[in-house]
Amino acid sequence: MRIALLLLTFAAASAGCHKTTVTTTSSTVATSPDTLIAGTIIRSAGTWSAHKARTTQKLDVTVSGNSISWTIDTMEQLPGGGSSGGSGSSGMTLSSPTDPWFIFVESPRHLWFFNGTTDLTYSLSDGGGSRSGPAIHAGKLMPTNEKIPPDLVRQLPPDLQKQLPPVPPKEERPSL
């Protein structure tokens, strides 16, 4: 096969054919490393993101005095170059700027928001659609089908943990 290609190239060159140049370029799309990782506890303003296949999930958190606000953006690259996406915003008010609020990342598409004292809400999206709402409101457990992850329960104050099924202590991972 190589000999035939070499003879063809030699014949074309000796016959005075036009020289054709083929240039191939490739480019890579720069993506930031995943920071919206399961088990992460967010306690400050910033931007976190996760990429999976053609989908990007991004969480922007803003803190101002007693207010925490966030925007969740989802973008999916479609075959053929198009894209589809959605965005949602929400927030919470703290009783004091020093309240120990946090956002718990169960997964990039399953987020839990605690106001540091009495309220825990969720924003979950998966194959069954998107849903959000209160899991604990004004210090009282709300009726919901959403199961609060054990690692999140461990982060809640003892008075809220008492309202939930007991969670076994976290096991230490063996070192290698």
Side-chain angles (χ1 to χ4, degrees):
M1 181 73 176
R2 280 199 235 184
I3 295 173
L5 184 58
L6 184 60
L7 289 175
L8 182 60
T9 304
F10 179 75
S14 63
C17 289
H18 291 85
K19 184 177 179 182
T20 303
T21 303
V22 176
T23 305
T24 303
T25 60
S26 65
S27 63
T28 58
V29 176
T31 59
S32 58
D34 288 348
T35 53
L36 198 58
I37 300 168
T40 299
I41 298 174
I42 298 169
R43 299 180 192 272
S44 63
T47 300
W48 290 262
S49 62
H51 312 281
K52 183 176 180 185
R54 295 180 174 175
T55 303
T56 299
Q57 184 85 6
K58 185 173 82 165
L59 171 67
D60 285 313
V61 178
T62 305
V63 179
S64 178
N66 288 12
S67 295
I68 311 293
S69 59
W70 58 85
T71 302
I72 301 169
D73 294 309
T74 303
M75 181 66 64
E76 181 180 1
Q77 296 298 320
L78 301 173
S83 63
S84 172
S87 182
S89 297
S90 193
M92 61 186 159
T93 302
L94 310 176
S95 58
S96 166
T98 60
D99 286 345
W101 68 273
F102 63 83
I103 300 169
F104 180 82
V105 181
E106 182 180 7
S107 75
R109 298 182 66 123
H110 289 197
L111 303 172
W112 297 80
F113 306 88
F114 179 60
N115 75 345
T117 55
T118 61
D119 292 343
L120 175 68
T121 60
Y122 57 87
S123 175
L124 312 175
S125 61
D126 49 34
S130 296
R131 56 211 178 277
S132 61
I136 300 173
H137 178 67
K140 303 289 181 212
L141 187 62
M142 302 302 291
T144 178
N145 291 331
E146 306 307 334
K147 185 176 185 295
I148 300 172
D151 286 342
L152 168 56
V153 172
R154 290 183 191 99
Q155 299 297 318
L156 296 173
D159 59 322
L160 296 181
Q161 287 184 27
K162 289 177 190 175
Q163 298 182 46
L164 300 166
V167 176
K170 191 170 185 171
E171 293 182 20
E172 292 295 321
R173 297 174 70 185
S175 61
L176 300 174

